[in-house]
Amino acid sequence: MTDHDTSDVLVVGSGLAGLAAALGATRQGDDVTLVTKATRPEGASSWWAQGGIAVSRDDPEQFKDDIVAASDDTADADAVDVLVENANDAVQDVLFETLAVEFDSGDDGPDYTREAAHSEDRILHVDAATGKHIHVPFLNYLDAHDGVEIIDDTAALELIRHEGRVHGAMLESDDDVRPHFAGSVVLATGGIGELYPRTTNPDNATGDGIAMAALAGADVRDMEYVQFHPTACVVDDADSTTGADADVAFLVSEAVRGEGGLLRNGDGERFMPDYHADAELAPRDVVARAVTAEREATGEVRLDVSPVDFADEFPGLADRCAEHGVDYDEGIPVAPAEHFLCGGVAVDDRGRTTLDRLYAVGECSRTGVHGANRLASTSLLEGLVWGLRAGADAAGNDADPIEAPDLLTRDPDLPDRFAREKFHRLRRVMDEQVGVERTPADLNRSLALLRRLKGEVDAYVRTRTSRSLYELRNASVTALLIARHATENTESVGTHNLVADAETPTAD
Ligand code: SIN
């Protein structure tokens, strides 16, 4: 048997869902190894979450109704029940009691805010920078916890599978690849931002967990439901904290519209009332489509923050405007950017995938809660609730070392230019053919282009093991899954926005 490591539970990914899974497992007495590609907390999408975490206040049924309505009636009712009925306990337990997160509050308790498509103020927040105020204390808490080992700058390349059961993963660290065997593996690898030129995700969101699970034979569902956030601030000189080809500077939280911010087109006209009765507070997919249409028609869209006490209520965003030379008094230039994948690895109410001892939580999973379009500020909540449940369920199994796949003797080198060029092609296809608007003909074209690209990448994967090559492999597998599911779903619903093209009429 080759050199290897073991633990009871292996968690892959360090966002809120992965941390919650580690907590859930260690509370059962299991020893947990959590590996992450990130080298800083900012490497996880959770750190970047702005709006907050929705909770169920006096009327849980109304919260459920809002989730289902935002999803265009496609959310799974049982999954929504699990989310809402566990929301308050999970938040009280982990965020208030364990981590003592100091949410914004007033004399009467927490200052709940509202975002688009919520029918009441129910979102706990810290300024509009909630993610980091949860993520950093959570990382510190687990780091200091006996029984949890956090290893950064480490990527999972492949799952180790034998006869339908997952036994661990091949981990790469500093060009060294070795097997890590575990009683259970929890995937918490986050989103797919690197597949699109405009994204609100941090770098390295390459769909790793989805690709690894799919290649190991797990069911993957709802991949066509890619959510675009309508208001990413776009500037010409944006650096690439958010994706290589991007002009996105930073996300402007929906909370700004919740507090009164208005969208205006290039002619200075407010347009959202023409698109939806809830105007700026319509569901995210509706606003993203409207912003796209108005940018095309009038050249630009700006978020007018004059009805809001912007500097006082959103000091973090005001600072980011200043950093990027944006004068918010003139309106913040915005465009839709890839934000969240509603589908992913299919899981049940405890995060169990269709493969034995493999779990998935957070954005890489598909619980059914979001259906075709996610309600704002439910992603941290979903990660927390499912993370705790999956971690607890994953505990109690011993690692069982078996023969690992032979990734050990290969040439680790890969020309950087190769990965850059392929990623550039992949993003162009996804942006032009699998973006906010999709036509049947474009989707068919994207399938052909992505198949060819994946074939070129696979030829290298047979002989090399570099992390960037596996990220490219994962991105191309994930992109192909999105394009395939989008091609197969002929119903225009939620984020899957089919428009007719000259060649093929749409079903609706
Ligand atoms: C936002 O603050 O607008 C993002 C919140 C979310 O993605 O749920």
Side-chain angles (χ1 to χ4, degrees):
M1 171 83 36
T2 37
D3 276 356
H4 61 268
D5 301 301
T6 60
S7 54
D8 297 332
V9 175
L10 172 66
V11 178
V12 184
S14 59
L16 179 61
L19 301 180
L23 180 64
T26 194
R27 280 177 167 174
Q28 302 297 314
D30 266 24
D31 71 276
V32 179
T33 301
L34 185 149
V35 294
T36 172
K37 291 198 296 187
T39 51
R40 298 172 303 151
E42 292 92 312
S45 288
S46 300
W47 191 94
W48 294 93
Q50 293 188 10
I53 184 158
V55 291
S56 161
R57 294 188 67 191
D58 300 331
D59 192 350
E61 292 311 311
Q62 188 57 53
F63 186 14
K64 293 179 192 174
D65 289 349
D66 288 352
I67 293 172
V68 173
S71 78
D72 238 351
D73 283 333
T74 56
D76 178 307
D78 293 337
V80 174
D81 285 348
V82 170
L83 183 81
V84 172
E85 281 159 23
N86 289 284
N88 289 1
D89 285 351
V91 167
Q92 182 64 30
D93 164 12
V94 179
L95 304 189
F96 283 105
E97 289 167 17
T98 307
L99 303 178
V101 177
E102 292 187 9
F103 290 106
D104 288 357
S105 51
D107 294 340
D108 301 331
D111 167 38
Y112 296 99
T113 190
R114 182 183 300 215
E115 290 179 40
H118 285 271
S119 59
E120 65 168 337
D121 298 355
R122 60 162 77 92
I123 298 166
L124 289 166
H125 65 104
V126 187
D127 174 23
T130 310
K132 65 179 164 193
H133 290 277
I134 296 174
H135 190 239
V136 173
F138 209 162
L139 264 179
N140 292 340
Y141 176 85
L142 289 176
D143 221 9
H145 197 288
D146 285 345
V148 179
E149 185 183 17
I150 299 179
I151 307 175
D152 66 9
D153 200 5
T154 296
L157 303 185
E158 301 276 7
L159 293 171
I160 302 170
R161 191 198 53 157
H162 182 65
E163 292 179 349
R165 182 186 147 187
V166 169
H167 290 260
M170 299 298 290
L171 302 184
E172 180 274 336
S173 186
D174 211 9
D175 284 341
D176 181 38
V177 181
R178 56 195 269 140
H180 188 110
F181 294 103
S184 308
V185 176
V186 183
L187 297 171
T189 54
I192 57 154
E194 289 282 314
L195 277 57
Y196 287 87
R198 281 201 183 118
T199 176
T200 62
N201 290 185
D203 287 348
N204 294 335
T206 43
D208 301 338
I210 297 168
M212 284 190 293
L215 291 170
D219 278 0
V220 169
R221 289 182 64 185
D222 288 352
M223 294 293 286
E224 68 273 39
Y225 300 135
V226 177
Q227 182 173 72
F228 293 83
H229 196 291
T231 57
C233 172
V234 285
V235 291
D236 289 340
D237 65 344
D239 65 16
S240 178
T241 48
T242 54
D245 302 329
D247 58 359
V248 170
F250 54 92
L251 171 72
V252 184
S253 174
E254 265 178 18
V256 178
R257 278 175 282 133
E259 296 296 317
L262 302 173
L263 288 165
R264 297 191 185 279
N265 64 21
D267 302 327
E269 284 161 9
R270 188 176 169 215
F271 54 86
M272 274 314 301
D274 298 338
Y275 286 87
H276 195 279
D278 293 333
E280 278 80 3
L281 296 185
R284 203 171 268 179
D285 57 327
V286 177
V287 186
R289 283 196 288 279
V291 171
T292 302
E294 294 293 324
R295 274 172 56 88
E296 272 166 23
T298 69
E300 68 167 8
V301 167
R302 286 181 181 254
L303 181 61
D304 171 4
V305 298
S306 61
V308 184
D309 191 353
F310 191 64
D312 249 24
E313 289 189 44
F314 300 100
L317 285 174
D319 287 348
R320 300 218 67 195
C321 285
E323 274 166 38
H324 289 276
V326 173
D327 178 359
Y328 57 77
D329 286 332
E330 292 187 357
I332 302 171
V334 292
E338 192 285 329
H339 184 60
F340 189 87
L341 178 66
C342 300
V345 185
V347 296
D348 68 6
D349 63 351
R350 299 192 175 270
R352 291 179 284 221
T353 72
T354 51
L355 294 182
D356 192 20
R357 309 276 180 92
L358 181 68
Y359 294 74
V361 293
E363 190 174 346
C364 73
S365 71
R366 182 271 183 202
T367 61
V369 160
H370 310 304
N373 182 50
R374 176 171 71 80
L375 178 67
S377 285
T378 52
S379 56
L380 293 178
L381 183 62
E382 183 196 44
L384 179 64
V385 167
W386 257 267
L388 288 173
R389 293 166 74 84
D393 202 82
N397 298 310
D398 293 330
D400 179 12
I402 59 165
E403 204 51 51
D406 170 28
L407 299 182
L408 307 177
T409 56
R410 299 183 189 179
D411 174 358
D413 290 331
L414 175 80
D416 280 350
R417 222 183 40 236
F418 175 87
R420 261 203 315 276
E421 189 271 324
K422 299 284 181 273
F423 258 120
H424 183 72
R425 256 170 65 197
L426 184 147
R427 288 190 191 108
R428 210 174 57 221
V429 173
M430 295 305 281
D431 188 41
E432 290 173 3
Q433 292 162 5
V434 203
V436 175
E437 283 185 354
R438 301 155 178 192
T439 72
D442 274 349
L443 289 175
N444 281 323
R445 268 194 288 277
S446 75
L447 267 185
L449 291 168
L450 291 169
R451 277 197 190 111
R452 195 163 75 214
L453 190 134
K454 181 174 170 298
E456 290 167 25
V457 174
D458 283 349
Y460 275 81
V461 172
R462 281 191 271 278
T463 54
R464 298 170 195 238
T465 49
S466 84
R467 188 186 302 185
S468 63
L469 177 60
Y470 272 76
E471 289 180 324
L472 179 60
R473 190 271 321 250
N474 294 338
S476 60
V477 168
T478 307
L480 198 48
L481 284 164
I482 294 171
R484 204 173 73 216
H485 288 206
T487 310
E488 285 165 2
N489 185 352
T490 55
E491 188 192 0
S492 193
V493 58
T495 55
H496 180 51
N497 176 32
L498 283 175
V499 295
D501 56 33
E503 296 159 51
T504 326
T506 55
D508 61 344

